[in-house]
Amino acid sequence: MKFVLASKNQKKLVELSEILAHLGVEVILQSDAGVDVDVEETGNTFEENSLLKAKAVMEASGLPAVADDSGLCVDALNGAPGVYSARYGGPELDDEGRYRLLLENMRGQMPRTARFVSAITCCFPNGDVLTARGECQGTLAFAPQGEGGFGYDPVFFVPSLRKTFAQLSAEEKNAISHRGKALEAFKEQLEAYLKK
């Protein structure tokens, strides 16, 4: 079975392919399916946004499509940046600009508790939909640490490991990350779905 990933992110493709390979599922990027859609993320939740993306790519490709929407929710900022994580501070900011703005907005704020959230949705041409969610609790570091990962990884600190996401190996991160947990839950749902 072939699935289209509603993303242009090669790192997400590798992650999803590794997890779904043993189910006999091949995952391809939307560009490899001849699809080039940019979906406006107008949802108020990660689930709504991942559904918008998966549905649009499924309709454009005629194949089952999988989408992930994720972001960082900071308690002291009432859950911000949340669904706006990738657009925090406007389009002119890159990953580093966004996490530096976040640190600036957190100056003097307590508590520093935060969580990464990932929602994965799969839409099938027959109308069936699978949705899974994963979360990883942590705190915001006071300064960026580590060279790995992307996005807010350098400022997301995991107290139990005493490291930021950017200081973890890929294996360590996948074992505890929001996306790793969501993918694991999605894999279980998909396994049951394919047996029907």
Side-chain angles (χ1 to χ4, degrees):
M1 182 179 264
K2 191 178 281 190
F3 279 40
V4 182
L5 177 61
S7 173
K8 295 170 183 163
N9 186 325
Q10 194 70 40
K11 288 178 182 172
K12 285 185 183 180
L13 177 70
V14 171
E15 217 169 351
L16 197 60
S17 295
E18 284 172 0
I19 286 175
L20 299 182
H22 84 283
L23 294 179
V25 172
E26 179 195 354
V27 186
I28 61 172
L29 284 175
Q30 60 183 43
S31 53
D32 296 328
V35 173
D36 184 21
V37 291
D38 274 319
V39 180
E40 203 177 331
E41 297 179 19
T42 55
N44 294 317
T45 65
F46 297 110
E47 283 81 4
E48 286 173 10
N49 283 334
S50 67
L51 176 61
L52 287 170
K53 292 187 274 191
K55 193 165 188 259
V57 171
M58 179 271 294
E59 287 171 352
S61 68
L63 293 167
V66 184
D68 151 84
D69 194 56
S70 48
L72 182 64
C73 302
V74 180
D75 294 328
L77 300 177
N78 297 318
V83 293
Y84 303 104
S85 292
R87 306 184 294 279
Y88 191 56
E92 63 283 347
L93 292 184
D94 59 4
D95 282 355
E96 184 179 347
R98 279 187 283 278
Y99 71 64
R100 292 208 177 274
L101 174 64
L102 179 63
L103 290 179
E104 185 60 37
N105 290 340
M106 278 299 292
R107 190 184 300 250
Q109 298 268 20
M110 292 305 264
R112 294 186 74 83
T113 49
R115 68 190 181 287
F116 264 129
V117 177
S118 170
I120 293 174
T121 302
C122 181
C123 289
F124 293 88
N126 67 0
D128 289 345
V129 176
L130 300 178
T131 304
R133 182 183 176 101
E135 295 190 9
C136 181
Q137 303 291 332
T139 62
L140 277 188
F142 286 92
Q145 299 167 50
E147 301 299 319
F150 58 97
Y152 296 93
D153 288 359
V155 297
F156 186 75
F157 186 77
V158 183
S160 60
L161 298 176
R162 303 178 67 91
K163 291 179 180 176
T164 66
F165 262 17
Q167 293 173 304
L168 300 176
S169 70
E171 293 73 31
E172 286 176 311
K173 183 180 167 186
N174 289 342
I176 64 159
S177 80
H178 52 306
R179 192 171 292 114
K181 290 175 184 173
L183 284 170
E184 204 50 49
F186 172 64
K187 185 180 82 173
E188 286 173 22
Q189 285 187 35
L190 184 62
E191 221 160 355
Y193 178 83
L194 294 175
K195 284 178 185 162
K196 276 197 215 166

